[in-house]
Amino acid sequence: MAEAIRHDKTARQLRLLSDALDTGRLGPVRRLVNSLSPAEIGNLLESLPATKRGVVWGLVDPEDDGEVLVHVGEDVRESLLADMDPDEIVAAAETLDLDDLAELIEDLPDTVIEEVLKSMDRENRERLEQALSYPYDSAGRLMNPDVITVRTDVTVDVVLRYLRLRGEIPEHTDYLFVVSRRHQYLGRVALSSLLIRDPLTPINELIDDEQPAIPVNTDANQVATQFSDYDWITAPVVDENNILLGRITIDDVVDIIREQAEHQAMGAAGLDEDEDLFSPVPRAAKRRALWLGINLLTAFLASWVIGRFEATLQQVVALAVLMPIVASMGGVAGTQVLTLMVRGIALGQVGVGNLRALIAKEVLVGVLNGIVWAFVVGVVCSLWFQDLKLGLVIAAAMTINLVAAALAGVLVPITLKRMNIDPALAGGVVLTTFTDVIGFLSFLSLGTLILLK
């Protein structure tokens, strides 16, 4: 429901923006654009062709430039940065939190990176360099070192006076983190507890030590899973010595979850989730050509299997008419299982411990669906071609292919994952090839054995 509302809102904003641009009056466009959040502006920019995108980008409030760049895909970001002067890029980078800057800085020209680093004070420059030393999809890249810590040997009153002295606290701060003299993480204290407890209460009486800290090298997907499982707003990040390095906040985790969803949806078609909707034709054609070429090779493999039964097809033309049904049913059944498996792998729900049970379950589902739909198709084909044997052939072939599709749907993504190949990206091509080949092979082999006797 919320996603549908968001899509309707974006479509409405895009329509209003396009109408305003068509009139040539930039004043209404500027007011409309700068009434939106940076994330909404980024979404609109991704929805515009290159010419209109450039006009709108020039009207965005410079104070929002950095946040907008963080909220667009890499291809769109590249095009926007190309339209900016180095001074504008440096100014945009200076407005970002360190975790967002760590995400953006590697896309900047080298000369601009040098200027950005020069504009930072020594402490923040060292923090940024430390963040960049961690793997891209890790907790270290996600964390923000701006965190409030307290010690166990102070009282609530001391902490409150310290907060007032600071004058402000970081966004999404629901807990203060308690550390030892060596800055090791001990637990957390809720801001709400500080407000309602007696000012003389020692902090060590309020510590919640049940929230585990996140190791700095934890994979981003695992971080998202932990936030989802425990309903965290923030979480501490520590190194191998349990030294508190920073914190991860829910807004960054929401971005991870969204990227996961986009990756699975785009990966199923062999596309990159960061691809620009209006990317240049040569670039788009080049990117898609690879997977079209791979698919062509797999299609030749299926055609080769069909060619081995040329004599059978010449004698029983009905087999050629019915072949797509067997392959299509297997492809759909396999894709259903593959989708569940890719999701389960992403969420950490699939492993050696439950693989045998998954295979057994999906094979039984394949057998059940195979029996049901084989009966339906067998009856229809028998009546259509007035040939009971032909109905039995397609029924048997469909049952075989649906069971094979279930097995492939489980084993293909597991195998690809163990080979360090993204199952969301390559699984569909491998699975389709498998179900096509098994479908054609079983159907035509049974046809040769039964119909040509």
Side-chain angles (χ1 to χ4, degrees):
M1 184 64 178
E3 191 68 16
I5 293 173
R6 177 176 177 271
H7 289 167
D8 290 343
K9 183 179 180 181
T10 300
R12 184 170 64 254
Q13 291 167 345
L14 181 61
R15 185 173 61 254
L16 292 172
L17 188 62
S18 296
D19 291 344
L21 285 170
D22 291 339
T23 65
R25 298 170 57 195
L26 298 184
V29 177
R30 186 189 302 273
R31 287 192 294 273
L32 173 61
V33 170
N34 291 302
S35 68
L36 305 176
S37 69
E40 290 176 318
I41 296 173
N43 195 31
L44 276 182
L45 288 171
E46 291 183 327
S47 307
L48 292 170
T51 52
K52 291 185 177 181
R53 180 184 294 161
V55 173
V56 173
W57 179 232
L59 300 175
V60 175
D61 188 332
E63 292 185 0
D64 290 332
D65 283 354
E67 288 289 338
V68 173
L69 288 170
V70 171
H71 283 95
V72 295
E74 290 183 7
D75 279 5
V76 176
R77 184 184 302 156
E78 180 182 329
S79 68
L80 297 179
L81 288 170
D83 292 335
M84 299 177 69
D85 295 329
D87 291 342
E88 292 177 318
I89 299 176
V90 172
E94 289 176 346
T95 65
L96 295 174
D97 292 334
L98 279 176
D99 55 336
D100 290 331
L101 181 57
E103 178 182 346
L104 175 65
I105 197 166
E106 292 184 338
D107 291 334
L108 304 181
D110 291 340
T111 54
V112 175
I113 293 176
E114 291 179 10
E115 291 300 317
V116 170
L117 293 176
K118 287 179 182 179
S119 70
M120 303 173 68
D121 59 46
R122 179 179 177 181
E123 181 182 7
N124 282 327
R125 184 165 57 250
E126 290 176 350
R127 286 178 169 183
L128 177 61
E129 290 172 351
Q130 182 184 34
L132 294 174
S133 70
Y134 300 118
Y136 180 73
D137 287 322
S138 69
R141 280 296 188 95
L142 292 172
M143 74 175 181
N144 189 330
D146 188 11
V147 58
I148 299 178
T149 61
V150 296
R151 299 270 289 277
T152 59
D153 55 355
V154 297
T155 63
V156 169
D157 181 57
V158 172
V159 174
L160 290 177
R161 283 192 282 116
Y162 167 66
L163 293 178
R164 295 189 191 100
L165 186 63
R166 281 180 58 103
E168 62 180 7
I169 60 177
E171 291 183 354
H172 306 296
T173 297
D174 56 341
Y175 286 89
L176 307 185
F177 297 128
V178 184
V179 296
S180 68
R181 292 182 181 275
R182 295 181 55 200
H183 211 66
Q184 291 178 312
Y185 174 72
L186 301 177
R188 60 183 185 170
V189 174
L191 276 180
S192 56
S193 296
L194 297 176
L195 296 175
I196 63 175
R197 299 299 290 266
D198 186 285
L200 298 179
T201 304
I203 290 298
N204 59 15
E205 293 184 9
L206 303 179
I207 294 179
D208 171 12
D209 57 3
E210 292 185 0
Q211 180 184 35
I214 298 176
V216 70
N217 289 317
T218 303
D219 182 82
N221 291 337
Q222 295 178 18
V223 172
T225 300
Q226 287 181 280
F227 266 75
S228 175
D229 289 343
Y230 298 109
D231 294 327
W232 290 338
I233 302 298
T234 60
V237 179
V238 298
D239 65 9
E240 63 275 9
N241 297 316
N242 199 38
I243 302 297
L244 182 67
L245 301 176
R247 67 186 186 126
I248 296 174
T249 54
I250 186 63
D251 55 326
D252 294 317
V253 174
V254 170
D255 291 339
I256 296 171
I257 295 171
R258 181 181 177 184
E259 288 170 5
Q260 287 177 344
E262 290 177 351
H263 176 68
Q264 290 186 22
M266 299 290 279
L271 299 175
D272 188 336
E273 67 268 23
D274 285 319
E275 182 168 345
D276 184 1
L277 186 63
F278 292 99
S279 60
V281 171
R283 177 185 294 182
K286 182 179 179 180
R287 284 180 170 178
R288 300 179 194 183
L290 172 63
W291 288 100
L292 288 173
I294 293 173
N295 187 70
L296 180 61
L297 291 176
T298 63
F300 275 125
L301 176 60
S303 297
W304 177 81
V305 171
I306 295 172
R308 309 304 296 174
F309 295 92
E310 183 178 356
T312 302
L313 291 171
Q314 288 177 347
Q315 296 183 53
V316 188
V317 179
L319 292 176
V321 176
L322 299 175
M323 274 196 308
I325 296 177
V326 179
S328 175
M329 290 292 284
V332 171
T335 300
Q336 290 173 335
V337 182
L338 176 68
T339 302
L340 289 174
M341 288 294 296
V342 169
R343 174 181 176 272
I345 291 172
L347 295 176
Q349 297 173 342
V350 176
V352 177
N354 61 2
L355 185 57
R356 183 176 298 180
L358 274 171
I359 293 174
K361 175 252 183 177
E362 292 300 339
V363 167
L364 288 175
V365 171
V367 170
L368 181 59
N369 274 327
I371 293 172
V372 171
W373 292 108
F375 175 78
V376 172
V377 173
V379 170
V380 171
C381 292
S382 296
L383 296 175
W384 183 3
F385 293 97
Q386 298 296 306
D387 188 336
L388 179 60
K389 288 185 177 180
L390 181 61
L392 292 174
V393 167
I394 193 171
M398 184 171 293
T399 302
I400 292 171
N401 204 24
L402 286 179
V403 174
L407 276 171
V410 174
L411 297 178
V412 165
I414 290 290
T415 303
L416 291 175
K417 185 68 175 178
R418 290 182 177 177
M419 296 170 63
N420 292 321
I421 300 174
D422 189 350
L425 194 60
V429 174
V430 176
L431 178 75
T432 301
T433 302
F434 184 85
T435 55
D436 283 352
V437 169
I438 294 299
F440 294 147
L441 185 62
S442 59
F443 186 46
L444 295 175
S445 296
L446 290 171
T448 301
L449 292 173
I450 296 176
L451 299 179
L452 296 185
K453 280 187 175 181

